[in-house]
Amino acid sequence: MAMLLASGVSSGRGAGLRFLRLRCGIWCVGLARAEKMVRAISTKNFEAETGRSWEEWLVFLGRIGAADLSHAEIARRVRETGLASGWWSQSITVAYEQHIGRRIPGQDNDGRFAVSTTKTVPGSMDETLARWATFMTAQKDIGGIAISRGPETSVSRKWRYWRCGLANGTRVIAGIGDKPGGKSSLAVQHEKLATADDVECWRNYWKSLLNKF
């Protein structure tokens, strides 16, 4: 049955989503619909990563009048403090927009949805990027949906990135950062999901995949 569904993925976005949701239903069996609701972005790591607690970020954001600023403007002001990288400035901005009710948990600033999963792994950033690229090359598809663009990689001073686009119009970005003790953090973000219902399905998919990495 799974093989028949997989062979139908190429026929379009609907087949791919039906395939993923079947798999998600297997992962989430017994869960009520309410338990599949998307979660608010976690703020517990902000202090460790930026040196400023969530409460301190709220004071800062209130002081600059962030409630009247656009998403891009808030992220820029956070980044300009020098305390948060591009990744963390986006996380803080999204958490703030959820805090003031501008967006629901899991929703992007364009009205779509996103989900992210992280894992700490041994090895340098470059080693982890190489391992991840090889690991993903071995995947014939992502959640039953074909890769339509990429994959491609890029490098900055503090980060390593792996990106690809999927045939259903979504995209995946893996960001790799340095951690003490010869380790790296691997954060996979799946963006442009169509509905909130897709978020938990993809969260379970990426957690399962990262467990194999």
Side-chain angles (χ1 to χ4, degrees):
M1 181 63 144
M3 288 180 66
L4 288 174
L5 285 167
S7 67
V9 168
S10 62
S11 65
R13 175 178 179 175
L17 288 176
R18 286 194 297 275
F19 178 62
L20 175 67
R21 283 169 179 155
L22 173 63
R23 296 173 70 175
C24 180
I26 294 171
W27 285 322
C28 302
V29 64
L31 292 180
R33 180 180 177 84
E35 293 178 306
K36 291 186 182 180
M37 293 301 290
V38 295
R39 307 165 190 171
I41 193 167
S42 174
T43 60
K44 65 182 181 180
N45 292 326
F46 287 173
E47 185 168 7
E49 297 292 340
T50 69
R52 180 178 282 179
S53 69
W54 174 230
E55 289 72 22
E56 290 171 321
W57 278 114
L58 285 176
V59 171
F60 166 78
L61 292 164
R63 191 168 63 244
I64 66 171
D68 297 321
L69 301 178
S70 69
H71 175 90
E73 289 170 328
I74 297 171
R76 178 178 61 80
R77 295 292 293 272
V78 170
R79 191 169 57 253
E80 287 176 350
T81 65
L83 299 175
S85 67
W87 181 277
W88 287 104
S89 66
Q90 289 292 329
S91 295
I92 291 166
T93 301
V94 169
Y96 178 72
E97 290 175 324
Q98 292 174 357
H99 178 74
I100 64 174
R102 183 180 292 179
R103 71 167 83 191
I104 64 175
Q107 190 175 32
D108 291 331
N109 57 307
D110 64 358
R112 296 293 186 95
F113 292 83
V115 62
S116 62
T117 308
T118 62
K119 181 178 184 178
T120 298
V121 296
S124 68
M125 292 188 293
D126 289 327
E127 290 169 342
T128 301
L129 176 61
R131 283 178 54 216
W132 178 254
T134 299
F135 177 75
M136 292 305 294
T137 297
Q139 309 303 315
K140 295 181 179 180
D141 53 52
I142 294 180
I145 300 173
I147 295 176
S148 60
R149 187 179 70 257
E152 58 188 26
T153 60
S154 61
V155 173
S156 70
R157 187 169 62 89
K158 293 186 176 182
W159 294 91
R160 306 293 184 267
Y161 296 100
W162 180 98
R163 301 178 177 86
C164 76
L166 303 187
N168 65 350
T170 65
R171 66 186 181 193
V172 178
I173 303 173
I176 301 165
D178 187 43
K179 290 184 76 72
K183 298 179 180 180
S184 297
S185 64
L186 171 63
V188 178
Q189 179 151 317
H190 197 151
E191 301 177 339
K192 298 192 177 299
L193 303 177
T195 71
D197 288 339
D198 294 330
V199 171
E200 284 302 315
C201 291
W202 281 110
R203 189 193 308 279
N204 283 322
Y205 172 82
W206 287 112
K207 281 185 175 181
S208 175
L209 196 65
L210 285 182
N211 283 337
K212 299 175 184 176
F213 178 64

